[in-house]
C-alpha cells in the first residue's frame, strides 16, 4: 500500500533553514506529482509546493515563493522541501501527498487533487 514518511522537521529560529524529506513507497513514484501541504493549529490545510512527476516543473504558494524549493529524487523515491528564511508564520505540521492522477501535465495546488497524506512533521519557527 502507499506509504509516505516525512522527516526533517524541528525547532528553528526565524531566518533559519530546514530541509524536509518524504520517503514514498507502494506506487510508481516517478509517474506522480508530489505535493507539500501544511496545517497550523486552528487553520485549514494549505498548499505549499509541489514537484511534478517529470521533476522539471514546480509550483509554489505565494507565501513561500523565493524561500522554499521543492525537489525530488526519483531514484530514491523521495521528495524534498528546502525551506530557507523561515518565518514564525511558517510554523505548522508539514505533510507530503500524492497527486490522485498519474502523469498529470499540470501541477495541481488544490488539496482535493491529492491523497495519501503522510503523518506529518512539525516545523516550529521561533521569533
Amino acid at each position: 500500500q502507499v506509504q509516505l514518511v516525512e522527516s526533517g522537521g524541528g525547532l528553528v529560529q526565524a531566518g533559519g533553514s530546514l530541509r524536509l524529506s518524504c520517503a514514498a513507497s507502494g506506487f510508481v513514484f516517478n509517474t506522480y506529482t508530489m505535493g507539500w501541504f501544511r496545517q497550523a493549529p486552528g487553520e485549514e490545510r494549505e498548499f505549499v509546493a509541489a514537484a511534478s512527476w517529470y521533476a522539471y516543473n514546480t509550483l509554489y504558494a505565494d507565501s513561500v515563493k523565493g524561500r522554499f524549493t521543492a525537489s525530488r529524487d526519483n531514484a530514491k523515491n523521495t521528495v524534498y522541501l528546502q525551506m530557507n528564511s523561515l518565518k514564525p508564520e511558517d510554523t505548522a505540521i508539514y505533510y507530503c501527498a500524492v497527486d490522485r492522477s498519474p502523469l498529470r501535465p499540470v501541477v495541481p495546488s488544490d488539496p482535493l487533487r491529492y491523497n495519501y497524506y503522510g503523518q506529518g512533521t512539525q516545523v516550529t519557527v521561533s521569533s
Side-chain angles (χ1 to χ4, degrees):
Q1 75 262 22
V2 173
Q3 284 193 325
L4 302 171
V5 180
E6 300 96 337
S7 62
L11 173 64
V12 65
Q13 288 188 331
S17 297
L18 285 173
R19 188 194 195 204
L20 306 184
S21 300
C22 171
S25 62
F27 61 102
V28 183
F29 182 77
N30 62 4
T31 63
Y32 286 84
T33 289
M34 296 296 295
W36 285 99
F37 295 82
R38 67 186 181 187
Q39 188 166 18
E43 303 289 334
E44 292 188 355
R45 188 169 297 182
E46 65 172 356
F47 172 79
V48 175
S52 70
W53 56 274
Y54 50 93
Y56 297 115
N57 194 16
T58 53
L59 183 68
Y60 299 96
D62 288 344
S63 58
V64 307
K65 203 171 293 183
R67 300 188 297 122
F68 291 12
T69 302
S71 62
R72 62 191 294 160
D73 185 337
N74 286 340
K76 295 183 178 179
N77 282 14
T78 301
V79 61
Y80 304 98
L81 185 67
Q82 177 67 44
M83 306 186 296
N84 298 329
S85 302
L86 283 161
K87 305 175 181 180
E89 51 263 44
D90 294 319
T91 295
I93 300 175
Y94 283 70
Y95 303 88
C96 64
V98 187
D99 190 340
R100 289 184 180 272
S101 299
L103 306 175
R104 195 193 300 269
V106 177
V107 179
S109 61
D110 186 348
L112 294 178
R113 299 236 184 227
Y114 292 84
N115 59 7
Y116 297 118
Y117 289 83
Q119 85 290 347
T121 185
Q122 176 71 49
V123 171
T124 303
V125 184
S126 63
S127 58

